[in-house]
Amino acid sequence: MNFLLFQRHTKLISLVLVSLSVVISLVVMNGQLKAIETLDWLDVVGEGGIILMTSVWIFFIFASRPPGRVTTLLIVGLCCFLISGLLDLLDEFVSYPNDKFWLYWVESLPAFFGMFLMTWALYQWHQEQFKLNQQLCRREAFYREHSQIDFVTQLYRADYMRTLLTLNQSQNIPYSLAMLDIDNFAAFNRRYNTNDGDRLLREVAEIIVMNLRQNDLACRYAGDRFILFFPQTHLCDAKLVVQQITQAISHLAFKPQKTGKAVYHDVSYALAEIKQNTDAENAIAQVNQKLEQQKMIRQAQAC
Amino acid sequence: MKSFVEIDDKFIPAHQLPASIIDLAMARGINMQKFLRGTGIFYEDIKKQNLYVSPVQTLSLIEKAQQQIAGYDSSFLLGQRLFPGNYGHLSEALMHSKNLHDFLRILFCHLTEINPFIHAQVSQCNDKLVVQFSDAIGCGENYPFLLEMYLTALSSTLKYLAKQRITIAYQFSYKRPRYIQEYEENLGFKISFEQADDMLFLSINDFEISFPRYSQLIRAHALNKLKQQKTQKKITFLQAILRLQKLYGPLTQEEAACKLGLSTATFKRKLKRHNTRYLALQDLYHRQQTVIYLLNHHNNNEMLAAEMGFTDVANFRRAFKRWFKMTPSEFKSRYQLSTC
């Protein structure tokens, strides 16, 4: 787990802690401890469990969300809910001067208020998620699976593409596939170092994504290979996009850490228009084969 | 003095493979303390000189790498980084070897120094060089990972040294993995799975492909230094047994133990420590032999039986069925041995 986000939540964390201590001190000042024998342990366990789980929720929101309006709303809402729970739990242990004491009747108010805030926060979260999804387009298609995201390029891996192609096969959607390969990447890795190699991959991935259309998808295939998916696209249209990508990449003046001098890269690519009812493996094999052939031809020319 | 090294002996220099694994894990953002916990290796110790670790420790590092590094490419990435690497004079000799033939000769002569995990059995069939791989130290479940790594190292090194394509064909006994893209990217497209054995094929016609980096003097110097350094050639316990089988044919467990100067009980205990049984090694020997005979086009059963030291074919078929759970003709039709 990563706890880096906690440092950015100091205000909210202190708000939660202060309000909890205010509640506890109010209860302690006004109430009197009950005798141990009169306690209803079933209630204590149930209400204690609610407190514990709410605290865990608050913890995970702190751990996983950056500060912002939605986060603040969620935390304040949960904190109100926690206050109600805490009052409920504490009055198992203490008794107040009379039945009509204000702490009794105020008990359930924060929970309602908190639930209201959280509902509002959830609606906001929903809107936020839509914005985020838009940011992710061209990197993500129809489903989300964070375990398939590649560490280096932050694109999805080949598995994701296979699943997508299989889905396309079942829905009978024609599409084009492209495979891109950075030339002499191994030599670059040897010459500079693997950190620079990783950075280069990341930047090339960015360029690819920038040059795609909204409905296309790019995944990292393996090593220095990228696979691009163009739904309902003819070969010539896809070729245009891929040519634009290769042009953009050839203009990337990548500066390795060691020398700081620009290194330029070319990419080889192959395209295939996939007919309906082709399975994922077959489709990928088609572009792979074309790319291999091209490389052979190129090598033969070089000799 | 033992004539072999075992899975618990500390003889692998920590700045070689173990350091590469740790580097990769760190580059992938993994917590070092968590990564090294329980392996008995300490980050500070590796920085100091001359730390040696055992195969068991290295294997536990590999296991952790597989668990904690996301993605399937760690074995291939490690393979790419392994060479030229820091194998001292050996790296130098290989870097400046004359041609493919020379490279392979130096490599197989010193293979255990680079790689004590996987045994390579080299033979020639017609115009092909066949290298059969097997577990050399008891890698268990980590064996495919190590095989992927060393094969990637070989193929990327050859690509680097030869400056032109050297075609290598591969066969693997295990199932086609889901991450086939990594195999294709790093080893090429001549790969088939669920075959008789883990092996690779090189064409002998390619042996004369010369390496532009060839330097006679540096190569000779490095080889000379290697010779001086070496006190005794290390082979692993399992390799010692495989070598006995190769020398004397199929031995019984007692005979093998005796030849290694061990009591049968110790022998069995050591085998268990290396995650195997004697029967498994015998099967391996038979499988590798059969594959080589079949590759040499000894196609009919009589000839095959004669080569394997059986006097009558019925007996041979019975033994064959015990080794492979299938008849010789099924074996031949199932695996692509004649097409290579």
Side-chain angles (χ1 to χ4, degrees), chain A residues 150-152 157-159 162 181 189-190 194-195 198 220-225 281 288 292 295-296 299, chain B residues 27-29 70-73 80-81 83-84 156-157 160 164-165 176 178 180-182 184-185 189:
Chain A
D150 170 55
F151 179 87
V152 175
R157 288 196 291 255
D159 305 9
R162 280 202 201 100
D181 188 307
N189 248 345
R190 272 183 207 282
T194 44
N195 286 344
D198 283 358
R220 184 180 182 198
Y221 187 66
D224 55 342
R225 253 175 214 212
E281 290 298 336
N288 262 333
E292 251 346 72
K295 283 191 164 177
M296 297 272 242
Q299 201 152 49
Chain B
R28 288 287 176 275
Y72 317 110
D73 54 353
Q80 289 165 12
R81 292 167 187 205
F83 193 80
S156 79
T157 307
Y160 174 61
Q164 64 165 296
R165 232 165 236 241
R176 185 173 190 270
R178 267 190 63 77
I180 180 74
Q181 68 269 14
E182 301 290 345
E184 293 170 350
E185 170 75 18
F189 287 84

Side-chain angles (χ1 to χ4, degrees), chain A residues 113-154:
Chain A
F113 185 60
M115 288 301 231
F116 178 77
L117 279 183
M118 277 195 288
T119 314
W120 176 239
L122 274 181
Y123 175 68
Q124 294 280 316
W125 194 354
H126 158 83
Q127 300 219 313
E128 178 195 270
Q129 200 58 53
F130 261 76
K131 294 268 158 66
L132 288 179
N133 289 352
Q134 248 171 11
Q135 285 182 350
L136 277 176
C137 84
R138 298 179 287 184
R139 288 175 177 270
E140 187 172 86
F142 65 105
Y143 81 112
R144 182 164 295 172
E145 184 52 70
H146 72 269
S147 63
Q148 290 181 353
I149 294 177
D150 170 55
F151 179 87
V152 175
T153 57
Q154 298 298 319

